[in-house]
Amino acid sequence: VKVKIPFGSKYLDAIFSVPEKKPTYGVILTHGAGGDMNFPHLVSLAAYLASHGVLCLRFTCKGLNVAYRTKAFKAVVEFLKLSDDYKLSGVFLAGRSMGSRAAACVICQLSQGEDDDDDDDFIQGLVCLSYPLHRPKLQSKLRDEDLLLLRCPVLFVSGSADEMCEKQLLEDVVSKMKAPKKIHWIDKANHGMAVKGRTTNDVMEEINAQVFSWLRENAQLQHK
């Protein structure tokens, strides 16, 4: 289902992947610095989640400024929260690369907001696909400030050969995080999740299954 989400004086293009049965949970998903919501990995994950009963709303926000991307992500969260078509108990924010930085930033901002009781219940967790912890070869400057502030459950899915997220550095940051967290390493994958000798579909099946099983565990945790 295609939708236009109001964002200031503009609109963001978005697509709902809707499960057959009425969903209780949703995932809001966005792309990295390049590409858009039709990036194959996002399309694959959205279809997988919808086929397993999770609503997925993916959106495009062109703009290489993280603050701008964060504002757009917030607008999408509000849109879904106020939606009459889909009454969800909770939503997980998810993004690829720069999109995951924006998602982390949104959760930090909303949890520091004045109406935090309300938002905390709605946002259940964060999924970071290829989180860009540092620029290639610039391991000294880590983008970890938002991660350290998070309190909701976080899943990282990263390639062990990601040139923007050195394995040991991510493990160090994650060990300092106060939030419940998990890292799933895709062996030998680079930042784009390409692995020599494996097809994209094969890698995506591994990622999709990991994301879904983590969502299921964490959605249940909140509502036992």
Side-chain angles (χ1 to χ4, degrees):
V1 182
K2 286 188 175 175
V3 285
K4 295 260 185 206
I5 297 177
F7 175 47
S9 59
K10 293 188 273 212
Y11 286 90
L12 299 168
D13 286 316
I15 293 181
F16 276 108
S17 301
V18 186
E20 285 174 15
K21 287 193 188 137
K22 194 165 182 291
T24 323
Y25 291 99
V27 170
I28 301 177
L29 183 59
T30 193
H31 53 88
D36 57 22
M37 67 183 170
N38 296 317
F39 187 70
H41 293 187
L42 302 193
V43 175
S44 167
L45 179 58
Y48 186 92
L49 292 175
S51 70
H52 288 74
V54 178
L55 178 80
C56 188
L57 172 57
R58 62 184 204 277
F59 71 94
T60 295
C61 174
K62 298 282 192 184
L64 297 182
N65 174 317
V66 173
Y68 179 76
R69 292 283 298 266
T70 302
K71 272 189 193 148
F73 212 129
K74 261 190 180 159
V76 178
V77 172
E78 282 304 304
F79 172 83
L80 189 54
K81 195 174 176 183
L82 301 171
S83 158
D84 288 330
D85 299 334
Y86 308 104
K87 296 273 186 219
L88 298 174
S89 311
V91 53
F92 291 85
L93 305 192
R96 205 195 102 65
S97 191
M98 186 181 187
S100 63
R101 277 183 75 197
C105 196
V106 170
I107 295 177
C108 289
Q109 288 182 9
L110 290 176
S111 62
Q112 290 160 357
E114 285 143 33
D115 52 351
D116 52 7
D117 299 349
D118 198 19
D119 280 317
D120 278 359
D121 291 348
F122 189 60
I123 296 179
Q124 305 270 312
L126 170 66
V127 178
C128 296
L129 306 172
S130 295
Y131 187 85
L133 187 60
H134 52 78
R135 290 194 170 130
K137 302 195 170 61
L138 255 183
Q139 286 90 336
S140 55
K141 289 185 74 171
L142 296 185
R143 298 159 171 162
D144 59 354
E145 52 287 337
D146 285 333
L147 300 179
L148 299 175
L149 294 172
L150 294 169
R151 293 289 179 272
C152 66
V154 186
L155 170 67
F156 294 92
V157 180
S158 281
S160 66
D162 186 337
E163 60 283 11
M164 295 180 72
C165 186
E166 196 179 287
K167 194 167 184 234
Q168 190 57 53
L169 289 176
L170 183 63
E171 286 180 343
D172 291 348
V173 168
V174 165
S175 69
K176 293 181 207 149
M177 287 171 63
K178 304 216 169 41
K181 66 271 177 177
K182 178 182 178 187
I183 309 179
H184 179 74
W185 292 107
I186 305 287
D187 194 38
K188 301 190 179 70
N190 65 9
H191 190 64
M193 290 295 182
V195 182
K196 273 192 184 131
R198 288 182 71 183
T199 64
T200 306
N201 283 351
D202 180 42
V203 175
M204 282 316 299
E205 275 172 22
E206 179 181 341
I207 293 172
N208 295 348
Q210 281 294 328
V211 170
F212 175 66
S213 68
W214 180 86
L215 289 176
R216 203 173 46 190
E217 284 165 25
N218 285 283
Q220 288 170 342
L221 284 179
Q222 302 275 354
H223 295 269
K224 277 192 172 149

